[in-house]
Amino acid sequence: MNSYFADMHIHIGRDMYNKPVKITGAKSLTLTNILKESSRNKGINLIGVIDCHAPAVQQEIKELILRNKAHELADGGIRFEEVTLLLGSEIEIYDENCKGPIHVLCYFPKIEYIEYFSEWLTTKMKNITLSSQRYYGTAKELQYKVKELDGIFIPAHVFTPFKSLYGKGVYRSLEEVFDPDLIDAIELGLSSDTEMADQIEELHHYTFVTNSDAHSLAKIGREYQEIKIDHPSFEEFYWALHCVKGREIKRNFGMNPRLGKYHTTVCNHCLTPLSPKSEKCPKCGSTKIIKGVSDRILELSNRKESKRFRPPYMYQVPLEYLPSLGPKTFQKLLDRFQTEMNVIHHVSLEELIEVIPEKLAKSIIAMRKGELEVEAGGGGKYGSVSTKSKK
Ligand SMILES: [Zn+2]
Ligand SMILES: [Zn+2]
């Protein structure tokens, strides 16, 4: 069995005709660029691109295959250089039983299957050429369709204040919306970690995944996991989620939840930190309060520790978050050590010092050990990292 890095939530900014897919996504975030960036610079071996329901994206994949740049794997997924692509789709559910929009992630083993899925989506969605569009139907109906097509179903960033299962405070349990048996894993999102999520007992049944939700090439690998599988493919990933035949998630890597932009409760207007019970901001008088993820989890909490074994959750930030690591230094690191994963996980302090100042090299090592100082984020503002190590 081998170890691979996986980031399963990456958007597409533009299709091969330069038309927007994720409107807020970067123009350079095309399918081909995502594959190259993941394989050559990031060192990520398994990626989920969750805008593959768009027909022009499917066309781009098929052209790569026609030109012998990529090929479809027998056990699912598309191989390109050092990376395997899983064909995914992020959907916004909003049915009449639904009290707020919820994002979910679906993945399919073959192009043929996601093409079929797209065709079905045209009857449920106004515009399938765009990302994360609203789906008119029930969540369970969507789960049945995904399972009929041998797909994987994962509720996305389940605690973010907007567009998530627990976020808005309308649901207390996933059973209000989903068939719990047809959920393959739970995506944590940037403002929570394993320990926080395990305070909710119904989540103990599921594997947790940590993904970047990247809207630009640089953000790929902002969160990811290390998985123990034989080789990167759809079937192996499915086995890892269900801990079959020794496959499993070995470690989750994510930002310290305190760095996430929705960690604490704040005033929506002036971002003053508030207690979760406040109804009005004492500083500016606004009544728009964004409840932080940590306060929301405390409300839902009904359990202290997990009933199941959990892999370690390692706090990390992308290299670009480190103060004093500018684009030039970053390029120097890539020139010497090839990929960001190598720099973050494998290169020794001594080797780093040959390329970059010692202070910066030390903060990379401190990050590897989860020892970087952070300041909490909230209300849509990210927290920040200091170069000081905690020790
Ligand atoms: Zn989303
Ligand atoms: Zn997304």
Side-chain angles (χ1 to χ4, degrees):
M1 217 72 71
N2 303 297
S3 243
Y4 296 98
F5 295 116
D7 176 1
M8 307 309 294
H9 187 152
I10 301 170
H11 283 278
I12 288 187
R14 294 290 184 275
D15 66 22
M16 59 193 283
Y17 304 109
N18 202 28
K19 291 236 171 66
V21 180
K22 179 91 187 170
I23 295 170
T24 52
K27 289 198 174 99
S28 58
L29 195 66
T30 63
L31 180 93
T32 305
N33 284 347
I34 291 167
L35 291 169
K36 287 182 182 163
E37 179 70 15
S38 306
S39 171
R40 298 174 190 178
N41 296 334
K42 295 285 174 179
I44 292 182
N45 323 93
L46 182 66
I47 57 170
V49 173
I50 47 69
D51 287 324
C52 289
H53 58 274
V57 173
Q58 293 164 8
Q59 199 185 340
E60 189 168 342
I61 297 167
K62 287 197 275 189
E63 295 213 352
L64 286 172
I65 293 174
L66 269 177
R67 287 170 25 226
N68 278 324
K69 302 261 185 210
H71 63 274
E72 200 159 28
L73 300 174
D75 58 348
I78 312 291
R79 188 73 183 167
F80 173 94
E81 296 177 0
E82 300 301 313
V83 66
T84 297
L85 160 72
L86 296 198
L87 306 158
S89 176
E90 182 172 36
I91 306 263
E92 185 168 313
I93 300 173
Y94 205 120
D95 67 42
E96 54 271 30
N97 313 318
C98 244
K99 291 169 269 180
I102 300 176
H103 281 189
V104 298
L105 304 167
C106 317
Y107 306 89
F108 300 92
K110 307 243 171 223
I111 300 175
E112 207 189 317
Y113 291 22
I114 198 165
E115 283 179 330
Y116 185 88
F117 181 68
S118 297
E119 221 178 285
W120 177 78
L121 271 187
T122 55
T123 66
K124 305 276 173 197
M125 203 175 261
K126 285 184 183 145
N127 188 349
I128 61 159
T129 66
L130 293 176
S131 171
S132 321
Q133 290 295 290
R134 189 158 288 186
Y135 152 92
Y136 298 90
T138 67
K140 285 184 184 164
E141 205 183 338
L142 177 63
Q143 287 183 287
Y144 299 148
K145 183 52 72 177
V146 170
K147 288 298 158 186
E148 186 189 315
L149 296 169
D150 291 340
I152 291 173
F153 186 91
I154 301 178
H157 45 73
V158 295
F159 298 110
T160 47
F162 311 102
K163 304 189 170 178
S164 79
L165 175 62
Y166 300 110
K168 261 211 162 162
V170 284
Y171 304 107
R172 292 200 67 88
S173 164
L174 53 83
E175 292 190 26
E176 290 173 50
V177 198
F178 299 119
D179 180 339
D181 293 334
L182 302 181
I183 291 174
D184 295 290
I186 294 288
E187 187 187 59
L188 293 181
L190 300 181
S191 295
S192 61
D193 62 16
T194 301
E195 203 188 322
M196 289 166 78
D198 266 338
Q199 293 184 31
I200 296 164
E201 192 168 10
E202 64 180 356
L203 296 183
H204 296 178
H205 303 291
Y206 306 104
T207 292
F208 294 152
V209 291
T210 36
N211 300 312
S212 68
D213 204 346
H215 290 39
S216 67
L217 289 171
K219 295 284 189 293
I220 297 173
R222 166 167 64 174
E223 301 211 333
Y224 55 96
Q225 43 263 301
E226 183 181 5
I227 49 179
K228 198 168 104 190
I229 43 180
D230 181 68
H231 58 277
S233 73
F234 180 92
E235 185 172 56
E236 291 279 333
F237 178 62
Y238 177 82
W239 283 347
L241 296 181
H242 294 279
C243 305
V244 173
K245 302 189 192 182
R247 277 74 170 170
E248 62 183 4
I249 308 276
K250 268 175 82 178
R251 289 187 291 176
N252 293 97
F253 294 92
M255 302 211 295
N256 186 316
R258 290 188 294 136
L259 270 175
K261 59 179 174 177
Y262 298 115
H263 182 68
T264 57
T265 299
V266 294
C267 165
N268 190 24
H269 182 67
C270 68
L271 300 181
T272 302
L274 301 173
S275 111
K277 293 206 174 66
S278 355
E279 281 165 3
K280 195 172 162 194
C281 172
K283 204 171 151 200
C284 76
S286 168
T287 52
K288 278 203 168 165
I289 312 287
I290 305 180
K291 187 169 285 170
V293 172
S294 56
D295 293 323
R296 178 64 184 142
I297 288 179
L298 274 180
E299 279 177 6
L300 292 166
S301 172
N302 55 6
R303 180 93 199 179
K304 284 293 160 251
E305 65 209 46
S306 181
K307 289 181 286 193
R308 72 187 271 162
F309 169 78
R310 291 289 186 197
Y313 186 107
M314 311 290 292
Y315 294 144
Q316 236 180 49
V317 292
L319 288 178
E320 58 158 4
Y321 275 52
L322 294 176
S324 79
L325 202 156
K328 270 193 192 153
T329 312
F330 189 56
Q331 195 52 50
K332 264 201 254 171
L333 285 168
L334 289 188
D335 290 345
R336 172 72 191 274
F337 307 113
Q338 288 87 46
T339 68
E340 193 169 340
M341 288 301 125
N342 280 343
V343 175
I344 292 176
H345 292 286
H346 303 305
V347 176
S348 70
L349 179 66
E350 293 69 34
E351 287 173 296
L352 286 171
I353 290 172
E354 288 168 24
V355 185
I356 54 172
E358 187 175 338
K359 194 173 162 217
L360 181 57
K362 280 188 171 158
S363 50
I364 292 175
I365 301 292
M367 184 174 81
R368 188 180 293 170
K369 297 181 185 161
E371 291 170 357
L372 271 195
E373 290 267 2
V374 294
E375 280 206 35
K381 194 173 168 291
Y382 286 108
S384 54
V385 187
S386 112
T387 39
K388 297 197 297 269
S389 157
K390 278 187 284 193
K391 286 179 187 167

